[in-house]
Coordinates of all heavy atoms in Angstrom, one line a residue:
V186 N -10.5 -5.2 8.5 CA -11.6 -4.3 8.9 C -12.1 -3.6 7.6 O -13.3 -3.3 7.4 CB -11.2 -3.3 10.0 CG1 -10.4 -2.1 9.4 CG2 -12.4 -2.8 10.7
H192 N -19.2 -3.9 10.2 CA -18.7 -3.1 11.3 C -19.1 -1.6 11.3 O -19.3 -1.0 12.3 CB -17.2 -3.2 11.4 CG -16.4 -2.2 10.5 ND1 -16.2 -2.5 9.2 CD2 -15.9 -1.0 10.7 CE1 -15.6 -1.5 8.6 NE2 -15.3 -0.6 9.6
H197 N -18.7 2.6 13.7 CA -18.8 4.0 13.2 C -20.2 4.6 13.6 O -20.6 5.5 12.9 CB -18.5 4.1 11.7 CG -17.2 3.6 11.3 ND1 -16.0 4.1 11.8 CD2 -16.9 2.6 10.5 CE1 -15.0 3.4 11.3 NE2 -15.5 2.5 10.5
F337 N -13.3 8.7 10.9 CA -13.6 7.2 10.6 C -12.3 6.4 10.9 O -12.4 5.4 11.4 CB -14.0 7.0 9.1 CG -15.4 7.6 8.9 CD1 -15.6 8.8 8.4 CD2 -16.5 6.7 9.0 CE1 -16.8 9.3 8.2 CE2 -17.8 7.2 8.8 CZ -17.9 8.5 8.3
D341 N -11.7 3.2 13.2 CA -11.1 1.9 12.7 C -9.8 1.6 13.5 O -9.6 0.4 13.9 CB -10.8 2.0 11.2 CG -12.1 1.9 10.4 OD1 -13.0 1.1 10.8 OD2 -12.1 2.5 9.3
Ligands
LIG2 FE1 -14.3 1.2 9.2

Side-chain angles (χ1 to χ4, degrees):
V186 81
H192 87 277
H197 304 300
F337 290 90
D341 282 328

